Amino acid sequence: MNEFSENNPFNISNQKVSATCPSNIALIKYWGKYEPQIPANPSISYTLNHCKTNTEMEFLVDEKFSVQTFLSGNEEPKFAQKIEKYFQKIEEYLPWILKGKYIIKTENTFPHSSGIASSASGFGAIAKCLMNLDEQFSGKTNEDFKLKKASFLARLGSGSACRSLYEGLVVWGKTEEVAESSDLFAVQYPNEEIHPIFKSFNDWVLLIHEGEKSVSSTVGHGLMNTNPYAQRRFQEAHENFKTIKSILKNGDLQEFIKLVEHEALTLHAMMMMSEPAFILMKTGTLQVINKIWEFRKETNLPLFFTLDAGANVHLLFPENSDSEKIQEFIVKELLQFTQNNGVVKDVMRF
Ligand code: PMV
């Protein structure tokens, strides 16, 4: 039982709701978890602006519980199975949830095969739809609580999804550095604690490898349980929160670059030190990283990278008078390492 458990009466009817949710990219990474979806360390991410999932959910009250899902118009029975299991898991928090049939139509604004994680925006949008239904059925209307509970529910679908419910910089996982932070849901990092340089940022995602990952993030998180370096990593993530807090406040871009790249490489180092080991970076990922480092050495311009659990490279750079030169470099020198000249140009959403 917690503040999200529910046993008040409800009144269900046929409904159709919809919601949109953006994706996010972590700066301090979540990698490793405990039951029930409790992060082994706190994480912080930027919410994106253009990479989103749009979801429409129809609830049919007189029918037996089942879920039918469509992705960009095509039926996806595998996804439906996953959602059915997810709905069964969250009945304690939405007691009406197994009392009807669902038709869920969803589409991403970014290419499906791009390797950009759709689970964060996908579960974020589903959780928002569920809270829209809950508002209809329970008659409760409290916008702040609705968002908080949507973040709580999204987390139970996919951990990082809980951060997508909020804009700007978002924290998930208890840390003494951020008031109100929690393992159960995400909170927005206080805007007044963020230097303006970090509020206008680009994220161009280079699509190095399109298609399925060889190891899912569920398996990857699980391998942290037996990774001999895991405890040190979790401790370091806590320490990095202290560091990022002062960087965000004072606007030290050089230190920000150092920390964000270190976090990305640590995530992949953890994968390489798992038993069995696995590598999600591709040759192109390493070529791009080396090119970025060369470029920074030669020009001193603030282009840097982060990675999620895949081969794609997120190119980060502030939006200012330097960004044109950086963009030219990306197009001229980095696009050649993508599979099909693939790049998704996004910005942070504040
Ligand atoms: O939310 P999941 O289980 O897909 O895990 C995501 C983990 C990373 O993207 C690698 C890091 C993060 O904090 O988003």
Side-chain angles (χ1 to χ4, degrees):
M1 286 283 278
N2 61 33
E3 62 176 309
F4 304 107
S5 305
E6 186 61 76
N7 52 19
N8 285 324
F10 51 83
N11 196 356
I12 49 177
S13 55
N14 287 349
Q15 293 289 342
K16 200 189 249 183
V17 293
S18 61
T20 289
C21 189
S23 189
N24 71 73
I25 179 71
L27 302 172
I28 293 180
K29 310 284 182 182
Y30 143 64
W31 197 243
K33 64 178 169 180
Y34 312 114
E35 278 295 319
Q37 201 90 305
I38 299 298
N41 64 258
S43 58
I44 181 167
S45 58
Y46 263 130
T47 295
L48 299 177
N49 205 11
H50 304 312
C51 290
K52 285 187 207 154
T53 299
N54 301 318
T55 298
E56 187 187 274
M57 187 182 283
E58 197 175 350
F59 178 77
L60 301 165
V61 75
D62 288 329
E63 304 201 31
K64 190 168 157 272
F65 171 64
S66 67
V67 177
Q68 199 177 8
T69 53
F70 295 86
L71 182 58
S72 306
N74 300 317
E75 185 158 9
E76 292 272 332
K78 252 172 98 181
F79 186 47
Q81 272 177 9
K82 207 168 155 182
I83 301 297
E84 275 186 18
K85 280 207 190 106
Y86 168 59
F87 283 7
Q88 280 155 352
K89 202 161 80 179
I90 59 178
E91 192 188 9
E92 175 188 349
Y93 310 106
L94 299 171
W96 47 263
I97 197 162
L98 303 181
K99 304 204 179 304
K101 172 181 172 160
Y102 296 81
I103 301 170
I104 300 175
K105 293 181 181 156
T106 184
E107 54 185 45
N108 297 325
T109 59
F110 46 91
H112 178 57
S113 65
S114 65
I116 294 180
S118 59
S119 68
S121 53
F123 274 102
I126 286 180
K128 275 184 168 176
C129 284
L130 291 175
M131 287 312 293
N132 287 341
L133 287 177
D134 190 61
E135 190 171 58
Q136 302 286 337
F137 301 160
S138 71
K140 280 192 199 157
T141 52
N142 174 334
E143 285 305 317
D144 286 349
F145 183 74
K146 193 174 156 188
L147 206 56
K148 191 169 160 186
K149 186 158 173 178
S151 174
F152 171 84
L153 293 173
R155 179 194 116 242
L156 294 171
S158 160
S160 59
C162 72
R163 296 186 309 239
S164 274
L165 276 293
Y166 295 95
E167 295 186 348
L169 284 164
V170 183
V171 173
W172 169 43
K174 184 76 196 138
T175 159
E176 56 190 38
E177 303 305 322
V178 181
E180 315 281 312
S181 58
S182 169
D183 286 342
L184 301 185
F185 50 84
V187 296
Q188 201 171 30
Y189 191 83
N191 243 313
E192 62 284 3
E193 298 292 318
I194 307 171
H195 189 279
I197 190 156
F198 300 122
K199 289 188 181 172
S200 186
F201 238 81
N202 294 288
D203 177 5
W204 284 21
V205 193
L206 283 183
L207 307 179
I208 303 291
H209 179 77
E210 308 192 16
E212 286 271 313
K213 287 188 284 199
S214 57
V215 176
S216 72
S217 67
T218 310
V219 172
H221 286 292
L223 287 171
M224 285 300 272
N225 293 332
T226 51
N227 188 319
Y229 296 89
Q231 290 309 320
R232 178 66 196 108
R233 157 63 196 154
F234 301 149
Q235 192 189 335
E236 190 193 44
H238 277 277
E239 291 157 11
N240 284 347
F241 251 88
K242 265 197 182 55
T243 315
I244 206 167
K245 196 175 163 182
S246 66
I247 292 172
L248 290 174
K249 179 104 192 154
N250 63 28
D252 190 336
L253 192 54
Q254 292 314 314
E255 286 300 308
F256 188 65
I257 293 175
K258 205 162 106 186
L259 186 135
V260 170
E261 290 189 346
H262 175 76
E263 273 288 324
L265 294 174
T266 302
L267 169 70
H268 285 261
M270 286 297 124
M271 298 174 188
M272 291 185 219
M273 290 189 289
S274 294
E275 172 61 46
F278 63 106
I279 301 179
L280 296 183
M281 291 187 289
K282 300 280 180 198
T283 309
T285 315
L286 298 174
Q287 283 167 317
V288 167
I289 291 174
N290 280 309
K291 280 272 179 196
I292 293 172
W293 283 345
E294 271 168 34
F295 175 75
R296 266 217 314 275
K297 209 165 165 189
E298 278 164 21
T299 64
N300 245 328
L301 294 174
L303 170 65
F304 60 110
F305 68 87
T306 189
L307 307 166
D308 59 17
N312 295 335
V313 185
H314 288 250
L315 302 170
L316 304 176
F317 52 104
E319 179 59 40
N320 59 24
S321 51
D322 290 333
S323 22
E324 207 170 309
K325 277 185 234 140
I326 291 178
Q327 291 175 11
E328 269 168 30
F329 167 76
I330 295 173
V331 172
K332 223 172 120 216
E333 300 289 341
L334 301 185
L335 269 193
Q336 58 176 314
F337 301 110
T338 62
Q339 225 172 19
N340 296 308
N341 271 337
V343 57
V344 174
K345 300 175 183 176
D346 214 326
V347 293
M348 307 316 179
R349 188 183 177 101
F350 267 87

